[in-house]
Amino acid sequence: MTAQVDYLAVLFANTSGASGDLLGSDEKELGQLVWQLVDLKNKTLGRVNELLIKQELCDLTEKQEEVEEDNGSLTDSVSTAANLESALNQFHLTLTNEVNSIGAGTSVCLCTDGQLHIRQVIHPQAAGKNLLMPECFFSFFDLRKEFRKHFPASDLKAVDVHFMAESLNLPVDELTVLDSSEVLPREAAVQNVKAMASIALALLPEPLSHTFLYPERVNEKFETGTCSKMEKVCDNSVIRARGLPWQSSDQDIARFFRGLNIAKGGAALCLNAQGRRNGEALVRFINEEHRDLALQRHKHHMGNRYIEVYKATGEDFLKIAGGTSNEVALFLSREDQVIVRMRGLPFTATQEQVLAFFGQGEGPTEVCDVSGGGDGILFVRYPDGRPTGDAFVLFSCEEHAQSALKKHKEILGKRYIELFKSTAAEVQQVLNRYSSAPLISVAPAPLVSMLPTVSLLPSPGGVRDCLRLRGLPYTATIEDILTFLGEFTRDIRPHGVHMVLNQQGRPSGDCFIQISSPERAFMASQRLHKQMMSGPRGVNCRYVEVFPCSAEEMGLVLMGGTLSHTPTHTHSRSRSGTGLSPPPCKSRRKCRWELGVLRDCQG
């Protein structure tokens, strides 16, 4: 937008929860929209409009029948809407009709007090209900930023309506100042809109002579793309999201952060040691401001699950999403393609066999042509050229991809093939995993490196704030373990699940879990000891032994020692009295950290 708009629609969104700098942080429903039209050419104000939304459990709209009587003196027009979708469409229609009725210009743009009203309230709530947004909500002016163009010395975080009005010598007596944790009364929202409209008008005449150019933009959709390992990624633009549903895609992540602008290709799903998604993702935003707004969505919900959001670094993101292979870059360079991952391919599989796999079928498994033929297939290989059994396939549209996914677990050769919808970042991560050594780690530094080197045996009486699970089904996944732990899942420390693999790289049936406190660890062991756990699809049901242990004892076993819970002779306990056996010689065995899983392997 290179010319000043004809009108500003000064907008205020009010919820039934926190207000001010905490607006939208508690996921409370939108209950009130207040706006006023500002004619920038004629420097006049339109009527004040109020729209109340009849959301369930919304304190702002408990007494709809008293709207006109209670608030008739504060606003020129009061109306109600049955739900959020009706409210957004009604707002757009009313605004358009008012602009058209004036007839002195047609361009209009929203203007809000800060970023939260649009980015943290309206867009996230619309995305959560899968609503289509009117076009007017995808651009807006931030009145605080427009004000700071003339008062640069003021701290943006300290700028609010009261501060701006005082700086421009406007009356502030009627403005209500509340704590951010309090619900803002309806009349206070109306007062704020009137003050914002007056501030916008005060910026127009000399000596300020402000013009409203270049509004803020809200991305309508997430753009997929690639990222080079050589690219510089700012540490202040990246977050780690944890607790995602296992079937989540990059589009689901973009929907969770709707209203905030994610960088192109900036959603990278993390994989565990088995190459499966581990419920975490690294997300890169266009700048620090959007990253900070993303952090305010900590413990917001995706479906029935809450998502934890933490700061991360540019290095974290590049380890997951960065790539250097020209072959991969060429494969991912095709725009608007949908990626499907194949897993479990015969090592002798060829492009022709893959094309034939997707090119035959009828009924629910109809033909779905691969985009670009053989060029749309990327086999994953080890550095020496051996196939891994994985491949990625491109389809030209979502419809073809969904048809392809219906072939999940169909047979190619003598093996059934697993199919999953994938992402560009997952392609990079899988290729990085198999082509680089050592493997990329998405977990913090291994516990082993933090253990004391003076003695390999723990001292007696250590704090038992860990759990050892013994006798797990060999097919058990981390998700199965979390289900088994039930209410104690919330007590697990970050990156606190450590599955132990044997010398052949297969599950040993043991697992260690770091718990928030010794008391909770003891309680978990009392309730869960010898309870039954089922593997995937309810098979391989086994009882699991659960013991409390210390971090030192856990570290000893992870370094190759053994931990016994049976009585031992006095002479065998002489070193520490713990019933522990020391690890074998370090020259024969070592431990390697792979994506949060310790793997015992031959030296």
Side-chain angles (χ1 to χ4, degrees), residues 548-572:
C549 67
S550 67
E552 292 83 4
E553 291 172 329
M554 177 181 70
L556 178 81
V557 174
L558 296 179
M559 292 175 67
T562 59
L563 179 60
S564 173
H565 288 275
T566 58
T568 57
H569 297 294
T570 304
H571 70 271
S572 67

PDB file of all heavy atoms in Angstrom, residues 548-572:
ATOM      1  N   PRO A 548      11.906 -46.907  41.953  1.00  0.00           N
ATOM      2  CA  PRO A 548      12.553 -45.597  42.061  1.00  0.00           C
ATOM      3  C   PRO A 548      14.066 -45.772  42.059  1.00  0.00           C
ATOM      4  O   PRO A 548      14.587 -46.783  42.551  1.00  0.00           O
ATOM      5  CB  PRO A 548      12.057 -45.067  43.415  1.00  0.00           C
ATOM      6  CG  PRO A 548      11.735 -46.295  44.205  1.00  0.00           C
ATOM      7  CD  PRO A 548      11.304 -47.351  43.221  1.00  0.00           C
ATOM      8  N   CYS A 549      14.777 -44.831  41.480  1.00  0.00           N
ATOM      9  CA  CYS A 549      16.241 -44.878  41.489  1.00  0.00           C
ATOM     10  C   CYS A 549      16.774 -43.459  41.438  1.00  0.00           C
ATOM     11  O   CYS A 549      16.017 -42.504  41.245  1.00  0.00           O
ATOM     12  CB  CYS A 549      16.779 -45.712  40.319  1.00  0.00           C
ATOM     13  SG  CYS A 549      16.485 -44.993  38.692  1.00  0.00           S
ATOM     14  N   SER A 550      18.071 -43.329  41.610  1.00  0.00           N
ATOM     15  CA  SER A 550      18.700 -42.013  41.585  1.00  0.00           C
ATOM     16  C   SER A 550      19.275 -41.738  40.205  1.00  0.00           C
ATOM     17  O   SER A 550      19.437 -42.642  39.381  1.00  0.00           O
ATOM     18  CB  SER A 550      19.816 -41.937  42.634  1.00  0.00           C
ATOM     19  OG  SER A 550      20.876 -42.819  42.268  1.00  0.00           O
ATOM     20  N   ALA A 551      19.600 -40.474  39.954  1.00  0.00           N
ATOM     21  CA  ALA A 551      20.214 -40.103  38.679  1.00  0.00           C
ATOM     22  C   ALA A 551      21.568 -40.781  38.528  1.00  0.00           C
ATOM     23  O   ALA A 551      21.967 -41.153  37.408  1.00  0.00           O
ATOM     24  CB  ALA A 551      20.364 -38.584  38.598  1.00  0.00           C
ATOM     25  N   GLU A 552      22.288 -40.974  39.669  1.00  0.00           N
ATOM     26  CA  GLU A 552      23.585 -41.645  39.606  1.00  0.00           C
ATOM     27  C   GLU A 552      23.430 -43.101  39.182  1.00  0.00           C
ATOM     28  O   GLU A 552      24.196 -43.625  38.377  1.00  0.00           O
ATOM     29  CB  GLU A 552      24.298 -41.556  40.960  1.00  0.00           C
ATOM     30  CG  GLU A 552      24.744 -40.152  41.349  1.00  0.00           C
ATOM     31  CD  GLU A 552      23.617 -39.346  41.971  1.00  0.00           C
ATOM     32  OE1 GLU A 552      22.514 -39.894  42.164  1.00  0.00           O
ATOM     33  OE2 GLU A 552      23.827 -38.164  42.248  1.00  0.00           O
ATOM     34  N   GLU A 553      22.422 -43.783  39.741  1.00  0.00           N
ATOM     35  CA  GLU A 553      22.169 -45.171  39.372  1.00  0.00           C
ATOM     36  C   GLU A 553      21.765 -45.279  37.908  1.00  0.00           C
ATOM     37  O   GLU A 553      22.218 -46.168  37.179  1.00  0.00           O
ATOM     38  CB  GLU A 553      21.079 -45.754  40.276  1.00  0.00           C
ATOM     39  CG  GLU A 553      21.513 -45.933  41.714  1.00  0.00           C
ATOM     40  CD  GLU A 553      20.361 -46.316  42.627  1.00  0.00           C
ATOM     41  OE1 GLU A 553      19.224 -45.901  42.371  1.00  0.00           O
ATOM     42  OE2 GLU A 553      20.620 -47.034  43.603  1.00  0.00           O
ATOM     43  N   MET A 554      20.918 -44.345  37.466  1.00  0.00           N
ATOM     44  CA  MET A 554      20.533 -44.320  36.059  1.00  0.00           C
ATOM     45  C   MET A 554      21.752 -44.123  35.170  1.00  0.00           C
ATOM     46  O   MET A 554      21.943 -44.822  34.172  1.00  0.00           O
ATOM     47  CB  MET A 554      19.516 -43.197  35.811  1.00  0.00           C
ATOM     48  CG  MET A 554      19.096 -43.047  34.346  1.00  0.00           C
ATOM     49  SD  MET A 554      17.911 -41.705  34.075  1.00  0.00           S
ATOM     50  CE  MET A 554      18.983 -40.283  34.355  1.00  0.00           C
ATOM     51  N   GLY A 555      22.592 -43.169  35.557  1.00  0.00           N
ATOM     52  CA  GLY A 555      23.778 -42.900  34.756  1.00  0.00           C
ATOM     53  C   GLY A 555      24.713 -44.082  34.676  1.00  0.00           C
ATOM     54  O   GLY A 555      25.316 -44.351  33.632  1.00  0.00           O
ATOM     55  N   LEU A 556      24.835 -44.827  35.776  1.00  0.00           N
ATOM     56  CA  LEU A 556      25.705 -46.002  35.782  1.00  0.00           C
ATOM     57  C   LEU A 556      25.244 -47.038  34.761  1.00  0.00           C
ATOM     58  O   LEU A 556      26.031 -47.560  33.980  1.00  0.00           O
ATOM     59  CB  LEU A 556      25.732 -46.627  37.178  1.00  0.00           C
ATOM     60  CG  LEU A 556      26.592 -47.890  37.268  1.00  0.00           C
ATOM     61  CD1 LEU A 556      28.053 -47.527  37.410  1.00  0.00           C
ATOM     62  CD2 LEU A 556      26.148 -48.769  38.424  1.00  0.00           C
ATOM     63  N   VAL A 557      23.932 -47.314  34.755  1.00  0.00           N
ATOM     64  CA  VAL A 557      23.406 -48.301  33.823  1.00  0.00           C
ATOM     65  C   VAL A 557      23.562 -47.814  32.389  1.00  0.00           C
ATOM     66  O   VAL A 557      23.925 -48.573  31.492  1.00  0.00           O
ATOM     67  CB  VAL A 557      21.921 -48.598  34.137  1.00  0.00           C
ATOM     68  CG1 VAL A 557      21.323 -49.514  33.077  1.00  0.00           C
ATOM     69  CG2 VAL A 557      21.804 -49.232  35.512  1.00  0.00           C
ATOM     70  N   LEU A 558      23.306 -46.530  32.173  1.00  0.00           N
ATOM     71  CA  LEU A 558      23.417 -46.002  30.821  1.00  0.00           C
ATOM     72  C   LEU A 558      24.855 -46.027  30.323  1.00  0.00           C
ATOM     73  O   LEU A 558      25.108 -46.020  29.119  1.00  0.00           O
ATOM     74  CB  LEU A 558      22.868 -44.572  30.763  1.00  0.00           C
ATOM     75  CG  LEU A 558      21.370 -44.441  31.073  1.00  0.00           C
ATOM     76  CD1 LEU A 558      20.936 -42.992  31.009  1.00  0.00           C
ATOM     77  CD2 LEU A 558      20.544 -45.292  30.133  1.00  0.00           C
ATOM     78  N   MET A 559      25.807 -46.070  31.259  1.00  0.00           N
ATOM     79  CA  MET A 559      27.213 -46.164  30.872  1.00  0.00           C
ATOM     80  C   MET A 559      27.661 -47.608  30.679  1.00  0.00           C
ATOM     81  O   MET A 559      28.801 -47.877  30.338  1.00  0.00           O
ATOM     82  CB  MET A 559      28.105 -45.486  31.929  1.00  0.00           C
ATOM     83  CG  MET A 559      27.928 -43.967  31.989  1.00  0.00           C
ATOM     84  SD  MET A 559      28.884 -43.231  33.327  1.00  0.00           S
ATOM     85  CE  MET A 559      30.538 -43.525  32.744  1.00  0.00           C
ATOM     86  N   GLY A 560      26.744 -48.560  30.927  1.00  0.00           N
ATOM     87  CA  GLY A 560      27.080 -49.958  30.661  1.00  0.00           C
ATOM     88  C   GLY A 560      27.106 -50.839  31.873  1.00  0.00           C
ATOM     89  O   GLY A 560      27.330 -52.041  31.758  1.00  0.00           O
ATOM     90  N   GLY A 561      26.882 -50.278  33.068  1.00  0.00           N
ATOM     91  CA  GLY A 561      26.851 -51.090  34.274  1.00  0.00           C
ATOM     92  C   GLY A 561      25.517 -51.788  34.416  1.00  0.00           C
ATOM     93  O   GLY A 561      24.630 -51.684  33.575  1.00  0.00           O
ATOM     94  N   THR A 562      25.344 -52.524  35.500  1.00  0.00           N
ATOM     95  CA  THR A 562      24.083 -53.209  35.757  1.00  0.00           C
ATOM     96  C   THR A 562      23.551 -52.789  37.100  1.00  0.00           C
ATOM     97  O   THR A 562      24.303 -52.433  38.009  1.00  0.00           O
ATOM     98  CB  THR A 562      24.262 -54.744  35.737  1.00  0.00           C
ATOM     99  OG1 THR A 562      25.227 -55.108  36.731  1.00  0.00           O
ATOM    100  CG2 THR A 562      24.703 -55.222  34.373  1.00  0.00           C
ATOM    101  N   LEU A 563      22.233 -52.831  37.234  1.00  0.00           N
ATOM    102  CA  LEU A 563      21.556 -52.408  38.456  1.00  0.00           C
ATOM    103  C   LEU A 563      20.704 -53.566  38.941  1.00  0.00           C
ATOM    104  O   LEU A 563      19.798 -54.018  38.244  1.00  0.00           O
ATOM    105  CB  LEU A 563      20.681 -51.190  38.176  1.00  0.00           C
ATOM    106  CG  LEU A 563      19.866 -50.612  39.326  1.00  0.00           C
ATOM    107  CD1 LEU A 563      20.766 -50.177  40.461  1.00  0.00           C
ATOM    108  CD2 LEU A 563      19.027 -49.457  38.824  1.00  0.00           C
ATOM    109  N   SER A 564      21.011 -54.093  40.112  1.00  0.00           N
ATOM    110  CA  SER A 564      20.311 -55.268  40.625  1.00  0.00           C
ATOM    111  C   SER A 564      19.408 -54.869  41.773  1.00  0.00           C
ATOM    112  O   SER A 564      19.780 -54.072  42.626  1.00  0.00           O
ATOM    113  CB  SER A 564      21.324 -56.315  41.104  1.00  0.00           C
ATOM    114  OG  SER A 564      20.657 -57.383  41.750  1.00  0.00           O
ATOM    115  N   HIS A 565      18.214 -55.458  41.810  1.00  0.00           N
ATOM    116  CA  HIS A 565      17.289 -55.215  42.917  1.00  0.00           C
ATOM    117  C   HIS A 565      17.156 -56.439  43.816  1.00  0.00           C
ATOM    118  O   HIS A 565      16.261 -56.525  44.632  1.00  0.00           O
ATOM    119  CB  HIS A 565      15.917 -54.818  42.371  1.00  0.00           C
ATOM    120  CG  HIS A 565      15.909 -53.447  41.802  1.00  0.00           C
ATOM    121  ND1 HIS A 565      15.718 -52.321  42.553  1.00  0.00           N
ATOM    122  CD2 HIS A 565      16.115 -53.028  40.529  1.00  0.00           C
ATOM    123  CE1 HIS A 565      15.778 -51.257  41.792  1.00  0.00           C
ATOM    124  NE2 HIS A 565      16.017 -51.662  40.556  1.00  0.00           N
ATOM    125  N   THR A 566      18.063 -57.409  43.629  1.00  0.00           N
ATOM    126  CA  THR A 566      18.055 -58.603  44.482  1.00  0.00           C
ATOM    127  C   THR A 566      19.159 -58.487  45.512  1.00  0.00           C
ATOM    128  O   THR A 566      20.189 -57.857  45.279  1.00  0.00           O
ATOM    129  CB  THR A 566      18.264 -59.860  43.626  1.00  0.00           C
ATOM    130  OG1 THR A 566      19.502 -59.736  42.916  1.00  0.00           O
ATOM    131  CG2 THR A 566      17.132 -60.002  42.612  1.00  0.00           C
ATOM    132  N   PRO A 567      18.987 -59.101  46.681  1.00  0.00           N
ATOM    133  CA  PRO A 567      20.031 -59.012  47.712  1.00  0.00           C
ATOM    134  C   PRO A 567      21.334 -59.596  47.213  1.00  0.00           C
ATOM    135  O   PRO A 567      21.368 -60.579  46.486  1.00  0.00           O
ATOM    136  CB  PRO A 567      19.447 -59.840  48.858  1.00  0.00           C
ATOM    137  CG  PRO A 567      17.971 -59.864  48.619  1.00  0.00           C
ATOM    138  CD  PRO A 567      17.805 -59.845  47.152  1.00  0.00           C
ATOM    139  N   THR A 568      22.414 -59.008  47.618  1.00  0.00           N
ATOM    140  CA  THR A 568      23.737 -59.486  47.241  1.00  0.00           C
ATOM    141  C   THR A 568      24.554 -59.769  48.476  1.00  0.00           C
ATOM    142  O   THR A 568      24.263 -59.306  49.567  1.00  0.00           O
ATOM    143  CB  THR A 568      24.461 -58.437  46.383  1.00  0.00           C
ATOM    144  OG1 THR A 568      24.529 -57.232  47.127  1.00  0.00           O
ATOM    145  CG2 THR A 568      23.724 -58.172  45.077  1.00  0.00           C
ATOM    146  N   HIS A 569      25.593 -60.561  48.308  1.00  0.00           N
ATOM    147  CA  HIS A 569      26.463 -60.902  49.436  1.00  0.00           C
ATOM    148  C   HIS A 569      27.234 -59.672  49.895  1.00  0.00           C
ATOM    149  O   HIS A 569      27.470 -58.741  49.140  1.00  0.00           O
ATOM    150  CB  HIS A 569      27.424 -62.014  49.031  1.00  0.00           C
ATOM    151  CG  HIS A 569      26.699 -63.285  48.676  1.00  0.00           C
ATOM    152  ND1 HIS A 569      25.993 -64.035  49.588  1.00  0.00           N
ATOM    153  CD2 HIS A 569      26.588 -63.933  47.471  1.00  0.00           C
ATOM    154  CE1 HIS A 569      25.464 -65.102  48.980  1.00  0.00           C
ATOM    155  NE2 HIS A 569      25.817 -65.053  47.689  1.00  0.00           N
ATOM    156  N   THR A 570      27.647 -59.735  51.130  1.00  0.00           N
ATOM    157  CA  THR A 570      28.315 -58.578  51.721  1.00  0.00           C
ATOM    158  C   THR A 570      29.548 -58.191  50.951  1.00  0.00           C
ATOM    159  O   THR A 570      29.794 -57.002  50.715  1.00  0.00           O
ATOM    160  CB  THR A 570      28.700 -58.884  53.191  1.00  0.00           C
ATOM    161  OG1 THR A 570      27.537 -59.277  53.900  1.00  0.00           O
ATOM    162  CG2 THR A 570      29.352 -57.696  53.841  1.00  0.00           C
ATOM    163  N   HIS A 571      30.333 -59.177  50.506  1.00  0.00           N
ATOM    164  CA  HIS A 571      31.586 -58.816  49.845  1.00  0.00           C
ATOM    165  C   HIS A 571      31.328 -58.169  48.482  1.00  0.00           C
ATOM    166  O   HIS A 571      32.154 -57.403  48.009  1.00  0.00           O
ATOM    167  CB  HIS A 571      32.471 -60.054  49.680  1.00  0.00           C
ATOM    168  CG  HIS A 571      31.946 -61.029  48.663  1.00  0.00           C
ATOM    169  ND1 HIS A 571      31.065 -62.033  49.001  1.00  0.00           N
ATOM    170  CD2 HIS A 571      32.184 -61.153  47.328  1.00  0.00           C
ATOM    171  CE1 HIS A 571      30.774 -62.768  47.909  1.00  0.00           C
ATOM    172  NE2 HIS A 571      31.450 -62.243  46.883  1.00  0.00           N
ATOM    173  N   SER A 572      30.185 -58.455  47.877  1.00  0.00           N
ATOM    174  CA  SER A 572      29.907 -57.838  46.570  1.00  0.00           C
ATOM    175  C   SER A 572      29.365 -56.431  46.713  1.00  0.00           C
ATOM    176  O   SER A 572      29.222 -55.717  45.738  1.00  0.00           O
ATOM    177  CB  SER A 572      28.914 -58.687  45.771  1.00  0.00           C
ATOM    178  OG  SER A 572      27.646 -58.672  46.423  1.00  0.00           O
TER     179      SER A 572
END
